[in-house]
């Protein structure tokens, strides 16, 4: 009888331990997923804010940088043919401007994608831009490609998951 009681105690202890471990794992996973979702939302808000702030292709770099306030964000102004109208951050990544993103944005009004340019993982938002400073660039013909370098973002996600 004593043996049956001990065996039952060990089984209950083991079951309780497994239940607590499963609960901790579930809560941890849910917290990580919510945090990652919030981090992604912050990146998307930064892109939207940068696109809204980048008002003219002839803005000086410090005006745009100060308004955006994010070191990981850059802005390119492009025409409908995919040629750079202005590059206030002097971005030099091959593949930018992204003509596939521009083509999709021309068809749908906007494009958002994650892509890698010169080994740098970037979330790129392409939206209609403001009128340029030249007579050649009328309203609706200039597009803004705003990029957010995801290097730090991905490192934070990875640490959060661990």
């Amino acid at each position: 009888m004593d043996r049956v009681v001990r065996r039952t105690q060990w089984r209950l202890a083991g079951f309780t331990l497994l239940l607590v471990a499963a609960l901790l794992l579930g809560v941890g996973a849910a917290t990580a997923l919510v945090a990652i979702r919030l981090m992604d939302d912050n990146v998307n808000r930064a892109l939207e804010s940068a696109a809204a702030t980048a008002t003219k292709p002839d803005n000086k770099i410090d005006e745009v940088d100060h308004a955006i306030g994010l070191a990981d964000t850059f802005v390119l102004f492009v025409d409908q043919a995919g040629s750079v109208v202005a590059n206030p951050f002097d971005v030099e990544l091959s593949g930018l401007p992204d003509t596939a993103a521009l083509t999709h944005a021309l068809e749908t009004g906007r494009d958002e994608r994650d892509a890698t340019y010169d080994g740098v993982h970037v979330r790129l938002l392409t939206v209609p831009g403001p009128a340029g400073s030249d007579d050649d660039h009328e309203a609706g013909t200039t597009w803004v490609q705003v990029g957010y370098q995801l290097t730090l973002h991905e490192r934070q996600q990875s640490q959060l998951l661990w």
Side-chain angles (χ1 to χ4, degrees):
M1 186 75 138
D2 191 33
R3 194 176 218 169
V4 173
V5 171
R6 278 193 188 190
R7 189 182 300 170
T8 304
Q9 286 175 336
W10 280 109
R11 285 182 182 170
L12 283 174
F15 179 73
T16 302
L17 184 63
L18 285 174
L19 189 61
V20 168
L23 182 63
L24 286 174
L25 184 64
V27 168
T31 302
L33 290 175
V34 168
I36 287 171
R37 178 68 180 165
L38 289 173
M39 289 169 62
D40 281 342
D41 288 347
N42 285 339
V43 169
N44 292 337
R45 275 195 298 275
L47 286 172
E48 294 289 344
S49 173
T53 305
T55 55
K56 293 183 182 175
D58 58 352
N59 272 358
K60 303 291 181 233
I61 187 170
D62 28 338
E63 292 174 7
V64 176
D65 189 35
H66 176 70
I68 296 168
L70 295 171
D72 291 338
T73 306
F74 61 86
V75 177
L76 289 172
F77 293 91
V78 297
D79 62 17
Q80 290 182 351
S83 300
V84 176
V85 174
N87 185 357
F89 289 87
D90 294 324
V91 177
E92 293 185 17
L93 296 174
S94 67
L96 288 175
D98 190 324
T99 54
L102 180 61
T103 301
H104 186 257
L106 287 168
E107 294 170 0
T108 63
R110 70 181 282 133
D111 181 77
E112 184 177 328
R113 64 182 61 207
D114 289 359
T116 303
Y117 308 100
D118 279 346
V120 179
H121 196 195
V122 172
R123 180 162 300 158
L124 189 70
L125 174 65
T126 305
V127 293
S133 58
D134 302 14
D135 293 335
D136 297 341
H137 301 290
E138 299 173 8
T141 62
T142 303
W143 288 75
V144 178
Q145 286 195 334
V146 182
Y148 188 98
Q149 295 180 25
L150 296 171
T151 308
L152 178 61
H153 176 72
E154 289 170 341
R155 188 176 306 135
Q156 289 172 335
Q157 282 183 344
S158 176
Q159 289 174 347
L160 182 62
L161 289 174
W162 277 106

